[in-house]
Amino acid sequence: DIVMTQSPLSLPVTPGEPASISCRSSQSLLHSKGYNCLDWYLQKPGQPPQLLIYLGSNRASGVPDRFSGSGSGTDFTLKISRVEAEDAGVYYCMEGLQARTFGQGTKVEIK
Amino acid sequence: QITLKESGPTLVKPTQTLTLTCTFSGFSLNSDGVAVGWIRQPPGKALEWLALIYWDDDIYYSPSLTNRLTITKDTSRNQVVLTMTNMNPVDTATYYCSRGSRIGAYNTPYYFPYWGQGTLVTISS
């Protein structure tokens, strides 16, 4: 089974400052067709997860361009260029290669 | 506009079988490259994929729960039904359904941008 490990698990951020979350997988997430099968979701309290980034670096429809995803193989990063108050919530990475395992989640709090 | 809505009992007794229905609109599960899945989230915990059914009737189950899960689709009603047997208090969770799309041609990955609001199911006697 693929294990997904996120860090940090808690991230206090100041509005206007950048933020970064790391996600590591225990196996390569490289698909046979060359895609990196890693997605990022944001879950706000009382809401379902919303897809931010799919296949490593593709922003989902309607996602602000301050969000970006990068990485390949086993190491991936979600970056927020300038955090806004509405970005608070729990961020999850998820591997889409096998069982669609999620990471533990990173709670982003706005200072 | 694509929407999904989960429905089912809010309270289930231990050992009973849970049946959840995902009713969707705005797409057909007969369309090439479409899938609908079920995901759950215990209170305060992380998300867990349970099952997935594809447009071509292919099915995936979580390896840890495969013996307890059945997923079916009714394309005429635009519904996907998940049954989970032998429910236990640790199965208390919000259950979500989600619609996925294949990124490209056959044998390319799926991504899941559409989610229902979820339904909280409590397992208690």
Side-chain angles (χ1 to χ4, degrees):
Chain A
D1 294 357
I2 298 177
V3 178
M4 306 298 292
T5 304
Q6 291 182 229
S7 62
L9 299 184
S10 178
L11 182 60
V13 293
T14 301
E17 294 296 307
S20 178
I21 300 170
S22 172
C23 178
R24 290 187 172 179
S25 60
S26 59
Q27 302 175 32
S28 174
L29 300 185
L30 189 61
H31 189 273
S32 60
K33 296 287 189 181
Y35 299 98
N36 278 290
C37 293
L38 189 284
D39 303 332
W40 290 97
Y41 291 86
L42 165 60
Q43 187 175 33
K44 299 180 180 179
Q47 294 186 21
Q50 58 181 98
L51 180 66
L52 296 175
I53 303 289
Y54 61 98
L55 299 177
S57 60
N58 298 277
R59 264 191 308 276
S61 176
V63 174
D65 60 8
R66 64 180 181 273
F67 291 93
S68 64
S70 63
S72 182
T74 61
D75 291 331
F76 298 88
T77 302
L78 176 71
K79 292 182 179 178
I80 310 173
S81 59
R82 293 175 303 280
V83 171
E84 297 188 6
E86 64 183 25
D87 301 337
V90 181
Y91 290 76
Y92 292 96
C93 62
M94 185 201 80
E95 60 88 3
L97 192 64
Q98 294 185 4
R100 291 188 170 79
T101 306
F102 289 89
Q104 321 97 300
T106 295
K107 187 173 185 178
V108 170
E109 299 175 318
I110 308 300
K111 293 180 182 176
Chain B
Q1 181 188 5
I2 290 175
T3 64
L4 304 101
K5 186 173 183 178
E6 305 86 353
S7 60
T10 57
L11 181 64
V12 174
K13 289 182 168 50
T15 75
Q16 288 187 336
T17 295
L18 171 67
T19 299
L20 294 172
T21 301
C22 175
T23 303
F24 55 84
S25 63
F27 68 95
S28 170
L29 198 39
N30 279 333
S31 299
D32 187 354
V34 175
V36 172
W38 284 94
I39 307 95
R40 71 177 178 180
Q41 184 174 38
K45 296 188 177 181
L47 298 150
E48 177 186 22
W49 269 93
L50 302 176
L52 193 53
I53 189 163
Y54 295 86
W55 62 282
D56 59 358
D57 296 325
D58 197 9
I59 287 173
Y60 161 84
Y61 292 117
S62 165
S64 62
L65 293 167
T66 186
N67 290 339
R68 299 174 55 202
L69 296 173
T70 303
I71 188 170
T72 60
K73 64 184 174 90
D74 185 335
T75 52
S76 64
R77 294 185 176 185
N78 282 347
Q79 291 180 334
V80 171
V81 176
L82 180 76
T83 60
M84 182 179 295
T85 61
N86 194 25
M87 295 299 285
N88 182 283
V90 301
D91 297 314
T92 293
T94 296
Y95 287 76
Y96 297 99
C97 63
S98 176
R99 187 260 197 185
S101 300
R102 199 173 59 212
I103 191 67
Y106 179 74
N107 196 30
T108 55
Y110 282 71
Y111 68 112
F112 291 83
Y114 301 102
W115 291 62
Q117 286 299 308
T119 184
L120 175 62
V121 181
T122 302
I123 314 304
S124 175
S125 54

